[in-house]
Amino acid sequence: MRVGSMFAGIGGICLAFKQAGAEIVWANEYDRYACQTYRHNFGSSFLVEGDIRKVNLDKIPNFDILTAGFPCQPFSVMGSQQGFADPRGTMYYEILRVIDTVKPEIVFLENVKNLVEHDNGRTFITIYNTLAERGYVVKYSVQGAHTHANIPQYRDRIFIAAFLDHEKLDRFSFPDEVPLTKTINDIVDRRVVVDDEHYYRPPNRYYNNLNARMTNNNAIYRIDDSGVAKRAWEICPTLKANMGTYPDRVPLVRDAHGIRKLTLRDCLALQGFPKEYDFSDIPRKEAYKQLGNTVCVPVVMRIARRLTVLFEV
């Protein structure tokens, strides 16, 4: 099964499909730092860096499945929710341009779960109708890291699978939920001393509140718009792209050596990336941003496996 990927980011969806046995033959990403991370882990033979609006579509190879984790901020409850009125929201129409050029058998889309409810459902209806106009039939499901991948992070996303072949649609179903048996302590080793820059020490303005509130050594905490959140989380709150813009938005734990942010390696694990996946020499803030923008790999991999078997003879 040959896969083309739009808005590839650091390759979370590509990695999931590769783990499911697919071959990635083309990918496009605009952000230069994300491209560095992608090349560092996948090589550079099929990645096209640049604005998809300026890419020569006639040079795109044929592939069976088009994947796209298109920009989610216009549809997120955490954003302005301008939808297709937001320039990032219009990137969906670039997906349609690629579909019209390549005509893949399957289109696989990922976005925030609020996409279904955005603009009273009109946004999702637009997506559904534009795919139907091209002959695709659609199934969709909201799946989460903690409900479908045994990873202790609240990260619910909508996944849309669109098929040209009705028989493939009939054979396909999204994976069921799996029990959550892992805890934060299965991901974060609190015995290990990490780089000192991760720790909160006096006279940091948040330190006293953090020290007073972070009393549960098995929980995870965070700082939000109001300051130090009072809630102790048993499951990691959603990793967000603003971890790169605002370093204090990286979730926090108390380990044997103090109060600290999650490391990049912790966040990679909470997104289900394998230990061999790593970042190149890029600014730390860009790496945190990338981790908030990517997918939980095992969630996508379970879906990808169900798509790959549809091509078996």
Side-chain angles (χ1 to χ4, degrees), residues 115-269:
L115 185 71
V116 175
E117 300 177 0
H118 181 266
D119 195 18
N120 294 318
R122 284 187 283 269
T123 296
F124 186 79
I125 291 172
T126 296
I127 292 172
Y128 185 96
N129 286 343
T130 53
L131 291 170
E133 289 166 2
R134 288 159 173 80
Y136 290 90
V137 281
V138 172
K139 285 185 178 180
Y140 67 93
S141 177
V142 173
Q143 310 238 312
H146 70 296
T147 53
H148 291 81
N150 192 23
I151 290 182
Q153 181 197 171
Y154 287 113
R155 192 177 195 85
D156 292 332
R157 291 292 185 267
I158 186 170
F159 298 96
I160 300 169
F163 304 79
L164 283 178
D165 185 340
H166 287 224
E167 188 268 340
K168 282 186 171 64
L169 173 83
D170 292 338
R171 290 168 51 202
F172 172 79
S173 62
F174 282 95
D176 294 329
E177 293 188 8
V178 296
L180 178 64
T181 61
K182 292 182 179 178
T183 69
I184 293 298
N185 290 334
D186 291 310
I187 304 294
V188 179
D189 191 341
R190 299 177 193 253
R191 301 166 298 178
V192 175
V193 181
V194 302
D195 293 344
D196 194 64
E197 62 189 22
H198 291 89
Y199 287 93
Y200 282 75
R201 314 282 192 196
N204 182 282
R205 62 181 177 140
Y206 292 115
Y207 178 78
N208 289 335
N209 276 341
L210 290 171
N211 195 44
R213 293 182 180 176
M214 292 181 64
T215 58
N216 185 342
N217 290 347
N218 294 314
I220 190 165
Y221 296 78
R222 72 174 179 182
I223 296 169
D224 59 25
D225 290 342
S226 62
V228 179
K230 295 180 180 179
R231 177 178 178 180
W233 297 72
E234 294 181 2
I235 296 175
C236 183
T238 303
L239 299 178
K240 299 176 182 177
N242 68 1
M243 295 189 301
T245 309
Y246 307 101
D248 289 317
R249 298 307 170 92
V250 181
L252 307 164
V253 295
R254 184 187 287 274
D255 68 14
H257 312 282
I259 296 167
R260 70 166 177 86
K261 304 172 187 175
L262 296 181
T263 65
L264 295 177
R265 179 54 56 189
D266 294 332
C267 294
L268 281 168

Side-chain angles (χ1 to χ4, degrees), residues 5-14 29-35 37-38 68-76 78 88 109-112 153-159 237-245 251 264 267-268 270-271 273 277 279 282 284-297 300:
S5 177
M6 296 179 66
F7 314 106
I10 62 173
I13 292 178
C14 292
E29 171 56 42
Y30 175 76
D31 185 274
R32 67 185 181 98
Y33 289 114
C35 287
T37 302
Y38 192 101
F70 58 108
C72 63
Q73 292 88 345
F75 312 107
S76 173
M78 301 303 294
R88 295 168 297 182
L109 306 177
E110 177 267 346
N111 210 282
V112 292
Q153 181 197 171
Y154 287 113
R155 192 177 195 85
D156 292 332
R157 291 292 185 267
I158 186 170
F159 298 96
T238 303
L239 299 178
K240 299 176 182 177
N242 68 1
M243 295 189 301
T245 309
L264 295 177
C267 294
L268 281 168
L270 282 165
Q271 294 286 40
F273 282 81
Y277 191 97
F279 291 97
I282 63 173
R284 188 183 300 272
K285 67 177 183 179
E286 294 294 335
Y288 275 118
K289 173 186 172 183
Q290 292 168 14
L291 284 162
N293 275 331
T294 193
V295 297
C296 182
V297 176
V300 180

Side-chain angles (χ1 to χ4, degrees), residues 65-82:
I65 292 187
L66 172 64
T67 71
F70 58 108
C72 63
Q73 292 88 345
F75 312 107
S76 173
V77 293
M78 301 303 294
S80 62
Q81 297 200 61
Q82 291 183 318

Side-chain angles (χ1 to χ4, degrees), residues 78-99:
M78 301 303 294
S80 62
Q81 297 200 61
Q82 291 183 318
F84 292 133
D86 187 315
R88 295 168 297 182
T90 62
M91 289 296 101
Y92 171 72
Y93 293 102
E94 297 304 312
I95 298 173
L96 297 180
R97 285 208 310 130
V98 173
I99 291 173

